Amino acid sequence: MLPRERDEVVLPGLGAIGTVFESARQTLILLLRNRLLWYVLLAEVVLGLAEFLLGGLSRNRLGARELLCLFSWWFLAGVVLPWTTLYLAIQAVHGEIEDRTFQYLFLRPVRRASLLLGKWLAVVIVAGAIGLFGGLCLFLGVAARPSLWENGIEIRYASAFAQVLSFGAVAYAAVGVYFAAALRRPLVTAAVAVILQMVVALLPVSAGIRMATVSDPLRRLLLDRIEPNASLAEMLWPGERDFRSELIGQPVLSLAILTAVVLLLGMVSYARSEYDSRTRE
């Protein structure tokens, strides 16, 4: 039998799992080049400094727990994490549609669903790291004021927010890749979704509406981890005047279901849609 010529050699494919990790690796490289990451990290450092300065004011009536929870929940988990994660997810998926590089990827012998799953994984890693860094900055900002702690510095608050921010990165990344895969204007939709979610977090709306957001199970998870008193619970959940432990439910299960559903919808849309190049938002 004559040997095959060099240009006839067929290399084995990566397979579904190999495609996921290779897609994640390449997406990580692209995301880490984004200058926005440095601005976000700087903003988190500024938040930590602002928290430290506010804790030293003579007019400050907040203890360490209240100060840490207010900054970590309303600024970091409520603004920085969702905006940053959704933006990164949309850039990772939608950017290839804007510059038409998706045409090269889709011609390769790989599954589109695996490609999207790898992009989601990369966004989770980057967004999770950003969230944890921000949580560390805020904890150090209030830990530097030991006089504000009634019973000494409590590490469990840092652990609670680390869990909340990690789960948030997973869920928001899934929502972001779904928006990018299924919608023509994903960045606009993401902005509207974040604003509506913030409104829902402040108003006494029905449980059915709250279940459609990522912030509701994240807040219930946080309240379960820190076991707040009545005043702190009201600060974190102003729409619920009578907070009770039975309202917590199963936030981890809620987040898992929400993440799985939107990620599956995104994978189906990414695998079946016929994309054309789109104008940059």
Side-chain angles (χ1 to χ4, degrees):
M1 176 182 288
L2 294 176
R4 290 186 177 182
E5 296 181 2
R6 186 182 300 270
D7 58 356
E8 292 180 352
V9 174
V10 179
L11 296 177
L14 289 173
I17 297 178
T19 301
V20 170
F21 285 104
E22 180 60 22
S23 175
R25 185 187 70 83
Q26 295 186 19
T27 305
L28 272 174
I29 294 173
L30 293 176
L31 290 178
L32 292 176
R33 296 175 181 173
N34 197 318
R35 292 183 179 179
L36 176 69
L37 297 181
W38 300 105
Y39 295 130
V40 173
L41 295 177
L42 179 60
E44 291 178 333
V45 173
V46 171
L47 276 177
L49 291 175
E51 182 189 47
F52 172 77
L53 294 175
L54 181 60
L57 295 179
S58 59
R59 293 176 294 178
N60 175 47
R61 296 294 181 267
L62 298 175
R65 292 192 310 164
E66 291 77 11
L67 200 59
L68 176 62
C69 289
L70 287 177
F71 269 79
S72 298
W73 173 250
W74 290 111
F75 290 103
L76 185 58
V79 178
V80 176
L81 182 68
W83 281 106
T84 304
T85 308
L86 291 173
Y87 173 81
L88 292 176
I90 290 171
Q91 288 301 309
V93 178
H94 192 70
E96 295 173 348
I97 300 174
E98 293 173 338
D99 58 20
R100 298 192 179 189
T101 53
F102 75 95
Q103 296 175 343
Y104 170 78
L105 290 174
F106 288 177
L107 290 175
R108 310 301 295 173
V110 293
R111 295 182 180 275
R112 293 190 190 182
S114 297
L115 287 174
L116 188 72
L117 196 59
K119 295 178 184 298
W120 168 76
L121 181 60
V123 174
V124 169
I125 293 173
V126 176
I130 291 174
L132 293 177
F133 177 77
L136 178 62
C137 289
L138 291 177
F139 182 75
L140 292 178
V142 74
R145 299 285 186 184
S147 60
L148 297 177
W149 297 88
E150 297 177 358
N151 302 312
I153 299 175
E154 299 180 78
I155 299 294
R156 67 187 183 94
Y157 287 96
S159 175
F161 275 104
Q163 295 178 52
V164 169
L165 295 168
S166 298
F167 279 112
V170 172
Y172 284 122
V175 174
V177 297
Y178 166 69
F179 283 167
L183 305 176
R184 293 193 62 85
R185 298 288 183 182
L187 202 57
V188 175
T189 305
V192 173
V194 172
I195 293 173
L196 289 177
Q197 178 178 259
M198 294 172 64
V199 173
V200 169
L202 292 170
L203 298 179
V205 298
S206 66
I209 296 177
R210 294 201 305 263
M211 287 178 61
T213 68
V214 177
S215 64
D216 179 64
L218 286 180
R219 174 163 48 192
R220 290 188 282 116
L221 176 63
L222 174 63
L223 294 173
D224 182 48
R225 294 295 187 268
I226 65 175
E227 300 178 354
N229 55 31
S231 61
L232 181 56
E234 186 177 352
M235 292 178 186
L236 299 177
W237 200 346
E240 188 63 50
R241 297 299 181 185
D242 183 22
F243 173 72
R244 303 178 303 278
S245 59
E246 55 266 26
L247 293 175
I248 292 176
Q250 296 179 300
V252 175
L253 179 60
S254 301
L255 281 170
I257 293 175
L258 177 63
T259 301
V261 169
V262 295
L263 188 58
L264 180 61
L265 291 175
M267 292 167 64
V268 171
S269 179
Y270 197 66
R272 295 185 176 183
S273 298
E274 295 296 331
Y275 296 107
D276 193 5
S277 60
R278 302 176 183 177
T279 55
R280 186 172 297 273
E281 294 188 63

